[in-house]
Amino acid sequence: MTTDAGEAIQRELSRGTMELAVLALISARKRYGYDLLSSLASASDGSIAIKEGTLYPALHRMEDAGYISASWEAEGRASPRKYYSITKDGKARLEALRTEWQRLATGMERLLNGGAES
């Protein structure tokens, strides 16, 4: 597989898992954008690398859907940052996405280990 093809697959998988990953991180504690970007990359050993231009529109969509809320906060003398927190609806959405992810991962594991040869 060429590097371009691998990058395309990575982009598609990241796009499909970004909402789940972001909600999972925000469910642990409130976070701001750059914190989310760096946490996604480090927690996934770089396998989920999202650019700012992708993250912020997704955050706005999740906020519009009621899954997260945002508030501006300043720590000490620092400039205010927009922090995101998960809402009750977001927790329900996270649980639904987590359940679906586990179902999909189990099915793919079975398939990749020869389960399609029945």
Side-chain angles (χ1 to χ4, degrees):
M1 179 178 340
T2 67
T3 303
D4 289 342
E7 289 174 7
I9 290 169
Q10 161 63 22
R11 259 192 320 276
E12 288 301 313
L13 288 172
S14 290
R15 199 173 295 142
T17 58
M18 182 174 44
E19 184 177 340
L20 172 59
V22 167
L23 287 173
L25 284 173
I26 293 174
S27 73
R29 65 178 169 86
K30 65 184 175 182
R31 295 178 183 266
Y32 56 95
Y34 181 77
D35 181 28
L36 281 167
L37 290 172
S38 59
S39 295
L40 284 167
S42 65
S44 68
D45 290 330
S47 63
I48 301 176
I50 297 171
K51 293 183 170 79
E52 284 183 46
T54 304
L55 176 65
Y56 289 104
L59 288 169
H60 292 291
R61 282 191 303 274
M62 286 186 268
E63 190 175 2
D64 289 345
Y67 301 145
I68 61 174
S69 61
S71 60
W72 288 94
E73 298 177 24
E75 294 178 7
R77 296 178 177 245
S79 296
R81 292 179 174 152
K82 192 173 191 179
Y83 281 85
Y84 298 93
S85 301
I86 195 163
T87 64
K88 182 179 177 182
D89 287 345
K91 289 177 184 177
R93 175 72 173 164
L94 173 59
E95 191 54 39
L97 290 171
R98 187 177 273 146
T99 299
E100 183 58 26
W101 174 261
Q102 290 168 341
R103 188 187 68 76
L104 176 62
T106 299
M108 284 302 294
E109 189 66 32
R110 233 184 344 257
L111 176 73
L112 293 173
N113 288 320
E117 307 260 338
S118 316

